[in-house]
Amino acid sequence: MTKYQCTTCGLIEALDLITPEACSSCGATGVINLEEQTQEIAKANDAFRVAIISGGHPVYQGRVVCTQGVAAEGAEFVTLAQFAVAGFSDFIEDTDPYGDHSMASVTICGKVVWFKIDLYDESFCYGADDPLDDANTRRVLTLLFPSEY
């Protein structure tokens, strides 16, 4: 069973064996395969995350930020956290329930640090209209302690 979402009215339908040509509710032809979209977002999030230690990714643009708590641990701690996040690949359903590789945790110097990737528009003001539009989507990877969530 595959889930599809209408880009006009937002209706989500689960269908077997067929790909809809139009939304069954509003008739719009813009229909997204949510599973394929999630896989593409995960690939982009992974590429962005890996590139944070080498100056950033040329296609998947964004920034890395940390909370005051993480910053208070010092520059070396933050750098170690960035290296750990860049090398992370053990995503599990508990910390990655949507399958888009947007959140997980690493342990740095005995302290658990979460990382979270959010998708924004190019001005970093609003959520991304189309998370697969690389030219207009910006990623923000936040390092934080669980107590700061």
Side-chain angles (χ1 to χ4, degrees), residues 7 9 13 24 27 34 38-40 43 48-49 64 73 79-80 82 90 106 112 118 123 126 134 140:
T7 58
C9 73
E13 295 181 282
S24 64
L34 293 177
T38 298
Q39 291 172 1
E40 291 300 314
K43 286 179 191 175
F48 173 78
R49 188 173 39 74
V64 178
E73 296 294 322
T79 300
L80 290 171
Q82 289 178 345
D90 191 24
V106 294
V112 174
D118 294 297
S123 64
Y126 303 101
D134 301 330
V140 175

Side-chain angles (χ1 to χ4, degrees), residues 1-4 12-21 33 35:
M1 183 133 339
T2 303
K3 290 183 180 179
Y4 297 90
I12 296 175
E13 295 181 282
L15 303 170
D16 281 329
L17 306 174
I18 62 166
T19 301
E21 292 183 20
N33 179 322
E35 292 169 19

Side-chain angles (χ1 to χ4, degrees), residues 8 19 28-30 34 37 49-50 53 55 64 70-71 79 86-90 94 99-100 103 123 131 142:
T8 301
T19 301
T29 57
L34 293 177
Q37 182 184 49
R49 188 173 39 74
V50 167
I53 59 172
V64 178
V70 171
T79 300
F88 184 85
S89 63
D90 191 24
D94 285 349
D100 60 2
M103 190 167 185
S123 64
T142 304

